[in-house]
Amino acid sequence: MGSFAGHALPGAFFMVFAVWWMVQFAYQRVALDHGRVKPRGRLFRALHRLPIEGVAVLLAGIIGFIAENFYPYPKWIIYDDDGKFANTHVWQHCAMYSFFSLYGIVVIFSKTCMPHAEKYTKLLGALAFFVEGMLFHFHTVGRPAIDVHLHNLLVLAISACMLFTLGEAFFPKEERFRIMRCTAALLQGTWFFQVGSVLYWPPSGKQWDDEDHSNLMFLTEAFIWHLLVDVCLIVLVYGISFLILKATGHSTLHYREMKTVDGRDNIEFGTTSLLDNGEPNAHDYDSE
């Protein structure tokens, strides 16, 4: 990761997945009515059975692992000729990629041969974020002040990802944890780009001054601006997804009139469930 590209790659990864998770959330909430309705059409049903997310995470972890050890030259050794530890920063990154790959493997199993593993996917996701945050926390020991400050702010975003993912593991029906996890993942992604830009590709072409306290203050402000923009982007992604689903006729949130005992009209949701093959008045189903 000792380059702009090394920070842009994981940044793009988290940004893409944050948007994907939010689109997925909108589709499940609007088109599938929280998992109570079957996907329409053979294509959508086939896609639901494929472990797309797990495969993507696993491939990203493998690519990151290999890239760390090959770019810009092979670095597969742990000890050098003098018997000292070598390429420690590379193996730290490889450890991070390994845990995300493990998360991807569990997701694949939960969607194929081990459906009961679904309840452990969020725990493995939280563990992967924990390992990432711990590695980055100790990654900058002895480095310049700006480098340390940038990565400390990154650790805050990673910690938020871990906490919200852990919240999802214990409260799978609480949608707010899922929305905040998407926001924290997007924040982590955009901040990765900020770290790479400051350290390796400054817009002015000059390195930032470590002795200038105002630089550290500005970076803290920039982190808050990233959060504000990311919240707006998450809302925008959900809004666009909702409009597209509604325009294409995939929205299942419809209403019907219901007569109450006192003769007044009332409104209730008309829903169907995956559990009863389309029979109404089914019990709630948690698809998480």
Side-chain angles (χ1 to χ4, degrees):
M1 284 190 181
S3 64
F4 176 79
H7 287 80
L9 181 62
F13 169 84
F14 285 112
M15 290 175 65
V16 168
F17 268 88
V19 172
W20 161 253
W21 286 333
M22 202 61 200
V23 172
Q24 190 181 51
F25 170 71
Y27 177 75
Q28 184 180 17
R29 191 172 189 271
V30 178
L32 302 185
D33 194 14
H34 301 278
R36 297 184 180 96
V37 181
K38 289 183 178 181
R40 299 182 184 181
R42 294 181 179 179
L43 177 61
F44 282 100
R45 293 183 183 181
L47 290 176
H48 272 256
R49 290 192 293 267
L50 295 176
I52 299 176
E53 180 177 326
V55 172
V57 173
L58 178 59
L59 288 177
I62 294 174
I63 292 173
F65 190 102
I66 295 175
E68 283 287 340
N69 281 285
F70 269 108
Y71 182 83
Y73 55 88
K75 302 179 289 292
W76 290 99
I77 61 173
I78 300 179
Y79 298 97
D80 59 17
D81 295 335
D82 298 327
K84 297 181 179 180
F85 289 108
N87 305 317
T88 53
H89 63 290
V90 171
W91 289 109
Q92 282 189 349
H93 297 157
C94 289
M96 177 185 70
Y97 289 127
S98 297
F99 273 85
F100 278 105
S101 297
L102 178 61
Y103 163 74
I105 292 173
V106 175
V107 172
I108 293 174
F109 284 164
S110 70
K111 297 295 183 181
T112 54
C113 58
M114 297 176 60
H116 293 293
E118 174 70 22
K119 57 186 177 181
Y120 298 106
T121 56
K122 293 298 186 295
L123 291 176
L124 267 296
L127 179 61
F129 282 126
F130 168 77
V131 170
E132 181 193 10
M134 182 185 67
L135 292 175
F136 275 116
H137 176 71
F138 295 103
H139 190 65
T140 56
V141 175
R143 290 192 176 184
I146 286 183
D147 195 342
V148 174
H149 191 64
L150 284 166
H151 284 85
N152 284 343
L153 292 172
L154 179 63
V155 170
L156 290 180
I158 297 171
S159 299
C161 291
M162 181 197 69
L163 292 175
F164 293 132
T165 304
L166 199 60
E168 282 187 274
F170 291 100
F171 304 97
K173 294 183 180 180
E174 181 53 69
E175 295 179 345
R176 286 172 289 188
F177 283 122
R178 189 173 182 179
I179 296 172
M180 294 307 296
R181 187 244 301 173
C182 295
T183 305
L186 185 59
L187 174 63
Q188 185 184 166
T190 58
W191 193 249
F192 259 116
F193 274 90
Q194 183 72 61
V195 174
S197 175
V198 172
L199 296 180
Y200 304 102
W201 198 5
S204 63
K206 299 180 181 180
Q207 293 295 325
W208 289 48
D209 186 5
D210 288 323
E211 303 298 329
D212 190 350
H213 182 68
S214 62
N215 287 337
L216 301 181
M217 296 294 292
F218 173 80
L219 290 175
T220 305
E221 297 170 10
F223 184 78
I224 302 302
W225 294 341
H226 273 258
L227 176 59
L228 177 60
V229 172
D230 292 336
V231 169
C232 295
L233 287 176
I234 286 295
V235 174
L236 182 63
V237 169
Y238 181 85
I240 293 175
S241 301
F242 174 81
L243 293 176
I244 292 175
L245 291 170
K246 188 174 181 180
T248 55
H250 284 86
S251 176
T252 61
L253 294 179
H254 53 278
Y255 301 87
R256 67 171 181 265
E257 291 187 357
M258 181 182 69
K259 294 294 183 178
T260 57
V261 177
D262 57 3
R264 292 179 300 175
D265 291 341
N266 200 353
I267 300 296
E268 68 173 5
F269 285 107
T271 61
T272 56
S273 173
L274 286 172
L275 297 179
D276 59 1
N277 296 320
E279 293 296 325
N281 301 323
H283 297 290
D284 191 18
Y285 176 72
D286 179 24
S287 63
E288 284 293 280

